[in-house]
Amino acid sequence: MNTYNNTFTASGNGFSRAFASNFLGEAPDWYKLTIAVFLLLNPLVLYVSGPFVTGWVLIGEFIFTLAMALKCYPLQPGGLLAIEAVLMGMTTTDAIYHEVIENIEVILLLMFMVAGIYFMKSLLLFVFTKILIHVKSKSILSLLFCAVSAVLSAFLDALTVTAVLIAVAVGFYAVYHRVASQQPHHHHGHDHSNDEHVVEYHREDLDQFRAYLRSLIMHGAVGTALGGVCTLVGEPQNLLIAEKAGWEFVQFFLIMAPVTIPTFLAGLMTCVLLEKTKRFGYGAQLPQAVREVIMQFSHEEEKKRTPFQVAELWIQGIVAVLLVLALAFHVAEVGIIGLMIIVLLTAFNGIVQEARIGHAFEEALPFTALLVVFFAIVAVIHQQHLFEPVTHFVLSQKPEQQPALLFLANGLLSMISDNVFVATVYINEVKAALTAGDITREHFDKLTIAINTGTNLPSVATPNGQAAFLFLLTSALAPLIRLSYGRMVLMALPYTIVLSTVALLSVIYAI
């Protein structure tokens, strides 16, 4: 019997125990039971209270699955709720299909752009490795990690940039852990997750190295949010928002700039201040013994680099420039540009086997599937007019107060839920108000800025809001550097306060 079979699966015959064990896999029993209760109660709620109340109950249940993403990936429980919504008549398959077609640009972005950047990882690893090796000042290094992550996320993809940060950190951690365990740093069979063989006099350096990596990774992760909010490819919801607003790449950047640029600068200042004050878990320095080991390893890797690998880096650099130009001049839809990147990088770097290409899609397709489930819930919201009272309340306030209210509403929801889902809901409601003639185009633009910044910036508060943060927390790196949920929230707190405050003030006074 599997290790996760306990109280919830202890009763009944062998088949029922197996069925209960298989249901949602390794999720905790209390979570399985909660989802089962949701599915059983929803038809009763529909019968007693009607579709409007049931719709709000369904939204609450779906947000619960997003908030509990660390217990179980939301695709399965959220998908079950979406299927039940269709069966109960809360929406239709045609309505869901319509939502998918309306947002095909976002789906293409996730399918092809993220996969395209996968083939650029060698270049990104090269850049971050050079930064880590050659910059000795921790404050400057942290600033560079944050700034470079922001710039890369503005043009590439926050998940991929985070994946590169994780790969760099795991690589260097493994190198020093081998040495600390009295193994040669080229010994690849070493288990760097086990501290049993770490020599006593290395333990203090290892703990300090963990704190050092934690701070760098968190600066970099926040950087992905700072850059991701600036452009239409930075986060999945940005493209959805841009599509509804009819904005292209440069136009999106310029319209968002009155909020995003001050916030970006405030984020960089916060980064330096945290390193100087050494508060909230920041400020740890790289031990000299660790630096010497990493530099020696890096020099050996440089010597082993073949002409073929050098050629790959040049191709990736050239294609990166083409990517930026293609996005800036909007030569095609973003997803199609991503497909172009895949073709160029694989063709000129000799990646022609189907199995090697397939790995590039593993990162994005689960989230793409989850996004379609988002659209199913959005279809319920549309058909049952669930958010009309919220929209009417916001639009009934004074026009100058509405952007700030939307920013706060989006920000609070994005802290506990997923920012893509929140942005999808609110941009559709605001677009409907524009189409109905309730607001002017100028006012629509202001509300759209509030929605984009409200979902992207306050959501750094918890791993639930930012996909990149959740990816980091569930990665192989997190347990190595002792990065728990609570520690991540604590380390993100100063950024959350500064970014949210600066963005809110910019929304109130600058747009």
Side-chain angles (χ1 to χ4, degrees):
M1 186 180 292
N2 293 328
T3 56
Y4 51 83
N5 296 346
N6 37 54
T7 54
F8 183 53
T9 60
S11 60
N13 57 34
F15 177 80
S16 63
R17 287 199 301 271
F19 180 84
S21 298
N22 288 339
F23 179 65
L24 299 183
E26 296 184 17
D29 290 340
W30 66 264
Y31 183 90
K32 296 182 182 185
L33 187 60
T34 302
I35 298 300
V37 169
F38 286 167
L39 294 171
L40 291 172
L41 284 183
N42 285 341
L44 180 62
V45 175
L46 178 64
Y47 178 78
V48 173
S49 303
F52 186 84
V53 172
T54 307
W56 275 106
V57 170
L58 189 70
I59 290 174
E61 293 168 350
F62 186 67
I63 289 177
F64 170 83
T65 68
L66 297 175
M68 294 291 109
L70 292 178
K71 304 298 182 184
C72 177
Y73 192 64
L75 174 63
Q76 290 76 23
L80 290 173
L81 292 171
I83 292 169
E84 185 179 53
V86 173
L87 294 176
M88 293 191 304
M90 300 287 290
T91 188
T92 65
T93 53
D94 287 340
I96 297 171
Y97 181 72
H98 174 75
E99 291 293 335
V100 171
I101 295 300
E102 283 285 300
N103 298 287
I104 189 65
E105 292 90 349
V106 185
I107 294 174
L108 290 176
L109 164 72
L110 287 170
M111 288 176 62
F112 295 132
M113 185 61 81
V114 176
I117 304 307
Y118 174 89
F119 296 108
M120 213 178 284
K121 277 188 177 180
S122 297
L123 177 65
L124 300 175
L125 280 167
F126 179 80
V127 170
F128 278 106
T129 301
K130 287 295 183 185
I131 293 173
L132 186 60
I133 290 295
H134 293 290
V135 180
K136 293 186 177 180
S137 167
K138 179 64 185 307
S139 298
I140 296 175
L141 180 63
S142 299
L143 187 64
L144 282 172
F145 255 66
C146 189
V148 171
S149 298
V151 173
L152 289 174
S153 296
F155 289 99
L156 305 178
D157 168 74
L159 276 176
T160 302
V161 174
T162 305
V164 170
L165 293 174
I166 291 168
V168 170
V170 169
F172 284 134
Y173 180 85
V175 168
Y176 182 70
H177 197 277
R178 285 194 287 268
V179 173
S181 304
Q182 292 189 317
Q183 299 284 343
H185 54 62
H186 57 269
H187 179 63
H188 297 293
H190 176 68
D191 180 11
H192 52 261
S193 64
N194 186 353
D195 287 352
E196 182 181 350
H197 300 293
V198 174
V199 179
E200 191 62 37
Y201 65 82
H202 279 299
R203 287 187 181 274
E204 186 177 344
D205 282 346
L206 183 61
D207 288 339
Q208 189 174 339
F209 187 36
R210 284 177 175 135
Y212 176 85
L213 289 177
R214 272 200 308 271
S215 58
L216 281 183
I217 289 296
M218 284 301 296
H219 288 312
V222 172
T224 64
L226 288 173
V229 70
C230 294
T231 66
L232 61 82
V233 294
E235 293 283 352
Q237 71 268 26
N238 296 16
L239 186 60
L240 187 148
I241 289 169
E243 188 272 329
K244 296 293 183 184
W247 297 336
E248 295 182 358
F249 188 88
V250 175
Q251 187 181 8
F252 184 99
F253 174 80
L254 293 175
I255 289 174
M256 292 295 163
V259 180
T260 56
I261 298 303
T263 307
F264 174 73
L265 296 175
L268 296 184
M269 291 172 61
T270 304
C271 173
V272 175
L273 191 62
L274 286 171
E275 286 300 322
K276 294 294 185 184
T277 60
K278 300 185 179 182
R279 299 295 180 88
F280 296 95
Y282 294 96
Q285 299 295 315
L286 180 64
Q288 185 58 34
V290 180
R291 180 181 296 279
E292 290 172 0
V293 168
I294 291 176
M295 289 188 72
Q296 182 184 352
F297 174 78
S298 179
H299 291 323
E300 290 186 9
E301 290 295 302
E302 287 280 347
K303 291 178 184 177
K304 291 192 295 184
R305 185 169 288 126
T306 66
F308 297 101
Q309 292 171 322
V310 174
E312 283 184 1
L313 290 175
W314 274 102
I315 291 296
Q316 290 175 20
I318 292 168
V319 173
V321 173
L322 291 175
L323 170 62
V324 172
L325 293 174
L327 290 171
F329 292 101
H330 194 68
V331 298
E333 289 297 336
V334 176
I336 304 302
I337 294 173
L339 182 57
M340 177 190 75
I341 297 304
I342 293 174
V343 172
L344 291 175
L345 288 174
T346 54
F348 286 97
N349 281 335
I351 303 170
V352 293
Q353 295 82 15
E354 182 181 357
R356 291 181 66 191
I357 296 171
H359 289 303
F361 294 88
E362 292 175 358
E363 206 169 86
L365 282 183
F367 190 74
T368 306
L370 178 60
L371 192 66
V372 176
V373 174
F374 286 174
F375 295 147
I377 303 300
V378 171
V380 172
I381 291 170
H382 280 177
Q383 291 209 255
Q384 304 303 328
H385 309 288
L386 299 181
F387 270 70
E388 279 190 2
V390 179
T391 309
H392 290 161
F393 170 76
V394 172
L395 297 180
S396 68
Q397 306 304 307
K398 295 178 181 179
E400 61 271 18
Q401 295 176 346
Q402 293 173 14
L405 286 172
L406 264 187
F407 178 92
L408 291 171
N410 280 268
L412 289 171
L413 271 178
S414 295
M415 288 180 186
I416 59 170
S417 178
D418 185 275
N419 53 9
V420 180
F421 173 66
V422 176
T424 302
V425 170
Y426 275 99
I427 192 62
N428 282 322
E429 290 299 316
V430 172
K431 182 62 182 288
L434 175 66
T435 304
D438 296 334
I439 57 176
T440 64
R441 175 66 206 205
E442 181 183 4
H443 194 56
F444 169 81
D445 289 348
K446 292 181 179 180
L447 296 181
T448 302
I449 294 170
I451 292 170
N452 182 60
T453 54
T455 52
N456 274 298
L457 295 171
S459 56
V460 302
T462 69
N464 307 108
Q466 286 276 347
F469 277 44
L470 187 61
F471 182 47
L472 171 59
L473 188 63
T474 55
S475 70
L477 175 65
L480 298 180
I481 61 175
R482 310 299 189 257
L483 185 62
S484 63
Y485 187 101
R487 180 170 267 164
M488 183 178 277
V489 170
L490 177 65
M491 295 181 77
L493 180 61
Y495 278 113
T496 304
I497 295 171
V498 172
L499 301 186
S500 300
T501 302
V502 173
L504 178 59
L505 292 174
S506 299
V507 166
I508 293 172
Y509 296 110
I511 65 171

